[in-house]
Amino acid sequence: QAGAVDEGVSRYKAIKNAAPSDPVVQESRLNALGYEFLRQNKLKEAIALFTLNTELYPQSANVWDSLGEAYAGTGQKELAIKNYKRSIELDPKNSAALEALRKLQK
């Protein structure tokens, strides 16, 4: 299954490089797909997609917040904290990330 995720990420990057304005490669579309995987409890796949989104859109607070949420869902507290902090650096008013960080640091 990891091979399928890696193949999907590679294909996505190829589409992004060939047609960067294609709606398929928009930040919001990739994030929505990541959340669909989260809802299906496919955490590894969600993390792979959210990680890709942070690579493609590193200045987006939302993508780091999403990756933090996925890591929190897998119990990887330190990685969740790291990603929520990055989200807050980019958007200090991100109340969802601030609240999640507060809960993780209790």
Side-chain angles (χ1 to χ4, degrees):
Q1 194 174 35
V5 171
D6 292 340
E7 183 180 334
V9 168
S10 293
R11 285 184 181 183
Y12 195 90
K13 285 181 178 180
I15 293 168
K16 175 75 172 161
N17 288 334
S21 62
D22 188 321
V24 171
V25 294
Q26 292 175 350
E27 171 193 336
S28 61
R29 298 284 296 272
L30 187 56
N31 228 45
L33 183 57
Y35 276 105
E36 183 59 34
F37 280 123
L38 275 183
R39 281 188 288 282
Q40 295 174 18
N41 205 33
K42 295 180 179 181
L43 301 175
K44 185 183 294 185
E45 292 86 347
I47 288 171
L49 290 176
F50 291 142
T51 298
L52 174 61
N53 225 6
T54 64
E55 292 169 10
L56 297 174
Y57 304 98
Q59 297 306 310
S60 168
N62 185 51
V63 299
W64 295 99
D65 180 279
S66 299
L67 183 55
E69 185 175 342
Y71 278 127
T74 64
Q76 297 180 71
K77 183 178 176 179
E78 292 306 313
L79 286 171
I81 289 170
K82 175 184 172 186
N83 286 283
Y84 279 128
K85 284 184 176 181
R86 179 66 181 134
S87 178
I88 294 165
E89 285 174 14
L90 294 167
D91 179 6
K93 295 179 182 180
N94 182 343
S95 59
L98 288 164
E99 179 63 19
L101 190 59
R102 185 187 63 74
K103 287 179 181 177
L104 285 167
Q105 292 180 321
K106 276 187 177 179

